Short mmCIF file of all heavy atoms in Angstrom, two decimals:
data_model
loop_
_atom_site.label_atom_id
_atom_site.label_comp_id
_atom_site.label_asym_id
_atom_site.label_seq_id
_atom_site.Cartn_x
_atom_site.Cartn_y
_atom_site.Cartn_z
N LYS R 139 68.39 132.63 -29.71
CA LYS R 139 67.42 133.40 -29.07
C LYS R 139 67.09 132.80 -27.68
O LYS R 139 66.93 133.54 -26.69
CB LYS R 139 66.12 133.59 -29.84
CG LYS R 139 66.34 134.47 -31.09
CD LYS R 139 65.07 134.59 -31.93
CE LYS R 139 65.24 135.54 -33.16
NZ LYS R 139 64.01 135.58 -33.90
N ASP R 140 66.91 131.44 -27.69
CA ASP R 140 66.52 130.79 -26.50
C ASP R 140 67.65 130.89 -25.38
O ASP R 140 67.41 131.25 -24.16
CB ASP R 140 66.35 129.31 -26.76
CG ASP R 140 64.98 129.03 -27.52
OD1 ASP R 140 64.16 130.02 -27.56
OD2 ASP R 140 64.93 127.99 -28.15
N LEU R 141 68.91 130.80 -25.84
CA LEU R 141 70.07 130.97 -24.96
C LEU R 141 70.15 132.39 -24.43
O LEU R 141 70.41 132.61 -23.18
CB LEU R 141 71.28 130.56 -25.68
CG LEU R 141 71.56 129.04 -25.90
CD1 LEU R 141 72.78 128.82 -26.80
CD2 LEU R 141 71.56 128.23 -24.56
N GLN R 142 69.87 133.39 -25.28
CA GLN R 142 69.95 134.74 -24.78
C GLN R 142 68.78 134.93 -23.74
O GLN R 142 69.03 135.63 -22.73
CB GLN R 142 69.69 135.74 -26.00
CG GLN R 142 70.92 135.83 -26.93
CD GLN R 142 70.69 136.64 -28.13
OE1 GLN R 142 69.50 137.04 -28.39
NE2 GLN R 142 71.71 136.96 -28.90
N TRP R 143 67.65 134.49 -23.99
CA TRP R 143 66.52 134.68 -23.05
C TRP R 143 66.80 133.92 -21.80
O TRP R 143 66.58 134.41 -20.65
CB TRP R 143 65.20 134.07 -23.70
CG TRP R 143 64.07 134.33 -22.80
CD1 TRP R 143 63.35 135.35 -22.54
CD2 TRP R 143 63.45 133.27 -22.00
NE1 TRP R 143 62.36 135.12 -21.67
CE2 TRP R 143 62.34 133.89 -21.20
CE3 TRP R 143 63.68 131.86 -21.80
CZ2 TRP R 143 61.52 133.16 -20.45
CZ3 TRP R 143 62.90 131.19 -20.94
CH2 TRP R 143 61.87 131.79 -20.21
N GLU R 144 67.35 132.75 -21.89
CA GLU R 144 67.71 131.96 -20.67
C GLU R 144 68.84 132.68 -19.91
O GLU R 144 68.81 132.62 -18.67
CB GLU R 144 68.19 130.58 -20.98
CG GLU R 144 67.10 129.62 -21.48
CD GLU R 144 67.56 128.26 -21.86
OE1 GLU R 144 68.77 128.04 -21.67
OE2 GLU R 144 66.71 127.41 -22.29
N HIS R 145 69.73 133.30 -20.65
CA HIS R 145 70.82 134.01 -19.93
C HIS R 145 70.29 135.23 -19.13
O HIS R 145 70.69 135.45 -17.98
CB HIS R 145 71.86 134.55 -20.96
CG HIS R 145 72.96 135.36 -20.44
ND1 HIS R 145 73.88 134.69 -19.62
CD2 HIS R 145 73.26 136.68 -20.60
CE1 HIS R 145 74.77 135.74 -19.25
NE2 HIS R 145 74.38 136.88 -19.81
N GLU R 146 69.37 135.99 -19.73
CA GLU R 146 68.74 137.04 -19.06
C GLU R 146 67.99 136.59 -17.81
O GLU R 146 68.04 137.15 -16.77
CB GLU R 146 67.76 137.80 -19.96
CG GLU R 146 68.52 138.60 -21.06
CD GLU R 146 67.59 139.19 -22.07
OE1 GLU R 146 66.33 139.17 -21.83
OE2 GLU R 146 68.00 139.84 -23.02
N VAL R 147 67.17 135.45 -18.04
CA VAL R 147 66.44 134.88 -16.88
C VAL R 147 67.39 134.45 -15.78
O VAL R 147 67.11 134.79 -14.53
CB VAL R 147 65.52 133.81 -17.34
CG1 VAL R 147 64.89 133.10 -16.12
CG2 VAL R 147 64.38 134.31 -18.24
N LEU R 148 68.42 133.89 -16.11
CA LEU R 148 69.31 133.37 -15.11
C LEU R 148 70.08 134.48 -14.46
O LEU R 148 70.31 134.43 -13.17
CB LEU R 148 70.40 132.44 -15.77
CG LEU R 148 69.84 131.06 -16.25
CD1 LEU R 148 70.96 130.26 -16.91
CD2 LEU R 148 69.40 130.26 -15.02
N GLU R 149 70.41 135.51 -15.14
CA GLU R 149 71.01 136.65 -14.47
C GLU R 149 70.07 137.32 -13.46
O GLU R 149 70.34 137.68 -12.38
CB GLU R 149 71.34 137.78 -15.54
CG GLU R 149 72.71 137.42 -16.22
CD GLU R 149 73.08 138.52 -17.22
OE1 GLU R 149 72.23 139.40 -17.43
OE2 GLU R 149 74.18 138.44 -17.76
N GLN R 150 68.71 137.50 -13.87
CA GLN R 150 67.72 138.03 -12.95
C GLN R 150 67.55 137.10 -11.72
O GLN R 150 67.59 137.60 -10.62
CB GLN R 150 66.45 138.18 -13.61
CG GLN R 150 66.44 139.23 -14.78
CD GLN R 150 65.13 139.33 -15.48
OE1 GLN R 150 64.21 138.65 -15.08
NE2 GLN R 150 65.03 140.19 -16.46
N ARG R 151 67.48 135.75 -11.94
CA ARG R 151 67.37 134.79 -10.84
C ARG R 151 68.66 134.83 -9.99
O ARG R 151 68.53 134.83 -8.71
CB ARG R 151 67.18 133.48 -11.41
CG ARG R 151 65.80 133.23 -12.01
CD ARG R 151 65.62 131.85 -12.59
NE ARG R 151 65.67 130.88 -11.49
CZ ARG R 151 65.68 129.51 -11.70
NH1 ARG R 151 65.66 129.05 -12.97
NH2 ARG R 151 65.81 128.72 -10.68
N PHE R 152 69.76 134.93 -10.57
CA PHE R 152 71.03 135.04 -9.76
C PHE R 152 71.11 136.30 -8.87
O PHE R 152 71.41 136.15 -7.72
CB PHE R 152 72.27 135.10 -10.69
CG PHE R 152 73.54 135.19 -9.99
CD1 PHE R 152 74.15 134.08 -9.25
CD2 PHE R 152 74.23 136.40 -10.00
CE1 PHE R 152 75.25 134.26 -8.62
CE2 PHE R 152 75.42 136.58 -9.40
CZ PHE R 152 75.97 135.47 -8.60
N SER R 153 70.67 137.41 -9.46
CA SER R 153 70.62 138.65 -8.66
C SER R 153 69.60 138.56 -7.48
O SER R 153 69.95 138.93 -6.34
CB SER R 153 70.23 139.84 -9.47
OG SER R 153 71.22 140.03 -10.51
N LYS R 154 68.42 137.94 -7.75
CA LYS R 154 67.46 137.76 -6.76
C LYS R 154 67.96 136.80 -5.67
O LYS R 154 67.74 137.09 -4.48
CB LYS R 154 66.10 137.24 -7.37
CG LYS R 154 65.03 137.05 -6.42
CD LYS R 154 63.71 136.60 -7.15
CE LYS R 154 62.56 136.47 -6.17
NZ LYS R 154 61.43 135.94 -6.80
N VAL R 155 68.51 135.66 -6.09
CA VAL R 155 69.02 134.72 -5.06
C VAL R 155 70.14 135.27 -4.22
O VAL R 155 70.26 135.04 -3.07
CB VAL R 155 69.52 133.41 -5.87
CG1 VAL R 155 70.25 132.48 -4.91
CG2 VAL R 155 68.30 132.65 -6.45
N GLN R 156 70.95 136.06 -4.93
CA GLN R 156 72.08 136.71 -4.19
C GLN R 156 71.56 137.66 -3.09
O GLN R 156 72.05 137.59 -1.98
CB GLN R 156 72.98 137.37 -5.15
CG GLN R 156 74.35 137.83 -4.56
CD GLN R 156 75.29 138.26 -5.60
OE1 GLN R 156 74.91 138.64 -6.74
NE2 GLN R 156 76.64 138.46 -5.27
N ALA R 157 70.52 138.50 -3.52
CA ALA R 157 69.93 139.33 -2.54
C ALA R 157 69.33 138.57 -1.36
O ALA R 157 69.36 138.91 -0.18
CB ALA R 157 68.87 140.29 -3.25
N GLU R 158 68.55 137.42 -1.75
CA GLU R 158 67.95 136.64 -0.71
C GLU R 158 69.03 136.07 0.22
O GLU R 158 68.78 135.88 1.42
CB GLU R 158 67.13 135.53 -1.33
CG GLU R 158 65.91 136.05 -2.05
CD GLU R 158 65.05 134.94 -2.77
OE1 GLU R 158 65.58 133.86 -2.75
OE2 GLU R 158 63.94 135.23 -3.24
N ARG R 159 70.10 135.61 -0.34
CA ARG R 159 71.19 134.92 0.39
C ARG R 159 71.70 135.96 1.42
O ARG R 159 71.89 135.77 2.64
CB ARG R 159 72.30 134.53 -0.50
CG ARG R 159 73.44 133.83 0.26
CD ARG R 159 74.73 133.73 -0.54
NE ARG R 159 75.25 135.16 -0.76
CZ ARG R 159 76.38 135.28 -1.43
NH1 ARG R 159 77.03 134.34 -2.00
NH2 ARG R 159 76.75 136.63 -1.51
N ASP R 160 72.02 137.26 0.97
CA ASP R 160 72.52 138.29 1.87
C ASP R 160 71.49 138.60 2.98
O ASP R 160 71.96 138.68 4.16
CB ASP R 160 72.81 139.54 1.06
CG ASP R 160 73.99 139.29 0.04
OD1 ASP R 160 74.72 138.38 0.27
OD2 ASP R 160 74.05 140.04 -0.91
N GLU R 161 70.25 138.70 2.53
CA GLU R 161 69.23 138.98 3.54
C GLU R 161 69.12 137.90 4.58
O GLU R 161 69.02 138.11 5.83
CB GLU R 161 67.82 139.20 2.91
CG GLU R 161 66.72 139.61 3.86
CD GLU R 161 65.46 139.83 3.06
OE1 GLU R 161 65.42 139.68 1.82
OE2 GLU R 161 64.50 140.16 3.68
N LEU R 162 69.10 136.59 4.11
CA LEU R 162 68.93 135.48 5.06
C LEU R 162 70.27 135.37 5.94
O LEU R 162 70.14 135.03 7.09
CB LEU R 162 68.90 134.07 4.25
CG LEU R 162 67.47 133.96 3.60
CD1 LEU R 162 67.62 132.66 2.75
CD2 LEU R 162 66.42 133.76 4.66
N TYR R 163 71.45 135.69 5.37
CA TYR R 163 72.59 135.64 6.22
C TYR R 163 72.50 136.65 7.31
O TYR R 163 72.85 136.38 8.46
CB TYR R 163 73.87 135.93 5.30
CG TYR R 163 75.14 135.91 6.07
CD1 TYR R 163 75.70 134.74 6.40
CD2 TYR R 163 75.79 137.04 6.31
CE1 TYR R 163 76.88 134.64 7.07
CE2 TYR R 163 77.08 137.04 7.08
CZ TYR R 163 77.56 135.76 7.41
OH TYR R 163 78.72 135.67 8.14
N GLN R 164 72.06 137.93 7.02
CA GLN R 164 71.91 138.93 8.08
C GLN R 164 70.86 138.50 9.15
O GLN R 164 71.13 138.54 10.31
CB GLN R 164 71.47 140.22 7.43
CG GLN R 164 72.55 140.85 6.54
CD GLN R 164 72.09 142.09 5.87
OE1 GLN R 164 70.97 142.51 6.05
NE2 GLN R 164 72.96 142.71 4.97
N LYS R 165 69.71 137.96 8.58
CA LYS R 165 68.61 137.52 9.55
C LYS R 165 69.17 136.37 10.38
O LYS R 165 69.02 136.30 11.62
CB LYS R 165 67.41 137.09 8.74
CG LYS R 165 66.60 138.22 8.12
CD LYS R 165 65.40 137.62 7.52
CE LYS R 165 64.56 138.76 6.83
NZ LYS R 165 63.36 138.33 6.16
N PHE R 166 69.85 135.34 9.82
CA PHE R 166 70.30 134.20 10.56
C PHE R 166 71.39 134.66 11.61
O PHE R 166 71.38 134.22 12.78
CB PHE R 166 70.85 133.11 9.68
CG PHE R 166 69.93 132.21 9.21
CD1 PHE R 166 69.49 132.13 7.88
CD2 PHE R 166 69.25 131.33 10.06
CE1 PHE R 166 68.59 131.21 7.44
CE2 PHE R 166 68.28 130.45 9.63
CZ PHE R 166 67.98 130.43 8.30
N THR R 167 72.25 135.54 11.21
CA THR R 167 73.33 136.09 12.17
C THR R 167 72.74 136.82 13.28
O THR R 167 73.02 136.54 14.41
CB THR R 167 74.24 137.04 11.36
OG1 THR R 167 74.85 136.35 10.23
CG2 THR R 167 75.36 137.46 12.26
N LYS R 168 71.68 137.62 13.03
CA LYS R 168 71.00 138.33 14.07
C LYS R 168 70.25 137.37 14.99
O LYS R 168 70.33 137.50 16.29
CB LYS R 168 70.02 139.34 13.42
CG LYS R 168 69.33 140.14 14.49
CD LYS R 168 68.50 141.22 13.78
CE LYS R 168 67.70 142.10 14.89
NZ LYS R 168 66.74 143.10 14.15
N ALA R 169 69.57 136.39 14.32
CA ALA R 169 68.78 135.43 15.15
C ALA R 169 69.71 134.61 16.01
O ALA R 169 69.29 134.23 17.20
CB ALA R 169 67.93 134.54 14.28
N ILE R 170 70.85 134.06 15.49
CA ILE R 170 71.77 133.29 16.27
C ILE R 170 72.31 134.09 17.36
O ILE R 170 72.54 133.56 18.54
CB ILE R 170 72.78 132.71 15.35
CG1 ILE R 170 72.27 131.64 14.38
CG2 ILE R 170 73.98 132.14 15.99
CD1 ILE R 170 71.77 130.49 15.06
N ASN R 171 72.77 135.31 17.11
CA ASN R 171 73.31 136.13 18.32
C ASN R 171 72.23 136.24 19.38
O ASN R 171 72.58 136.15 20.52
CB ASN R 171 73.65 137.56 17.68
CG ASN R 171 74.87 137.38 16.76
OD1 ASN R 171 75.73 136.56 17.00
ND2 ASN R 171 75.02 138.31 15.81
N GLU R 172 71.04 136.58 18.91
CA GLU R 172 69.98 136.77 20.00
C GLU R 172 69.72 135.44 20.83
O GLU R 172 69.64 135.50 22.00
CB GLU R 172 68.65 137.20 19.39
CG GLU R 172 68.67 138.59 18.73
CD GLU R 172 67.38 138.98 18.10
OE1 GLU R 172 66.49 138.04 17.99
OE2 GLU R 172 67.25 140.14 17.57
N VAL R 173 69.58 134.30 20.03
CA VAL R 173 69.50 133.04 20.70
C VAL R 173 70.56 132.65 21.56
O VAL R 173 70.47 132.15 22.69
CB VAL R 173 69.19 132.01 19.62
CG1 VAL R 173 69.17 130.59 20.24
CG2 VAL R 173 67.86 132.16 18.88
N GLN R 174 71.82 133.06 21.04
CA GLN R 174 72.94 132.74 21.88
C GLN R 174 73.01 133.53 23.19
O GLN R 174 73.33 132.95 24.21
CB GLN R 174 74.29 132.99 21.03
CG GLN R 174 75.54 132.56 21.72
CD GLN R 174 76.74 132.72 20.84
OE1 GLN R 174 76.66 133.40 19.79
NE2 GLN R 174 77.89 132.03 21.07
N GLN R 175 72.70 134.85 23.11
CA GLN R 175 72.58 135.65 24.27
C GLN R 175 71.52 135.11 25.28
O GLN R 175 71.78 134.97 26.44
CB GLN R 175 72.33 137.13 23.85
CG GLN R 175 73.50 137.75 23.09
CD GLN R 175 73.01 139.16 22.72
OE1 GLN R 175 71.99 139.66 22.87
NE2 GLN R 175 73.99 139.79 21.92
#
Side-chain angles (χ1 to χ4, degrees):
K139 289 181 181 179
D140 293 340
L141 289 174
Q142 289 176 352
W143 182 76
E144 288 179 1
H145 179 68
E146 293 177 0
V147 172
L148 289 175
E149 284 184 348
Q150 294 176 2
R151 289 177 63 185
F152 177 74
S153 301
K154 185 178 179 181
V155 170
Q156 196 171 13
E158 291 178 355
R159 184 200 65 180
D160 296 337
E161 184 180 357
L162 287 173
Y163 182 73
Q164 294 176 1
K165 288 182 179 180
F166 273 113
T167 304
K168 185 177 178 181
I170 288 297
N171 290 330
E172 292 177 357
V173 172
Q174 191 175 15
Q175 291 176 2

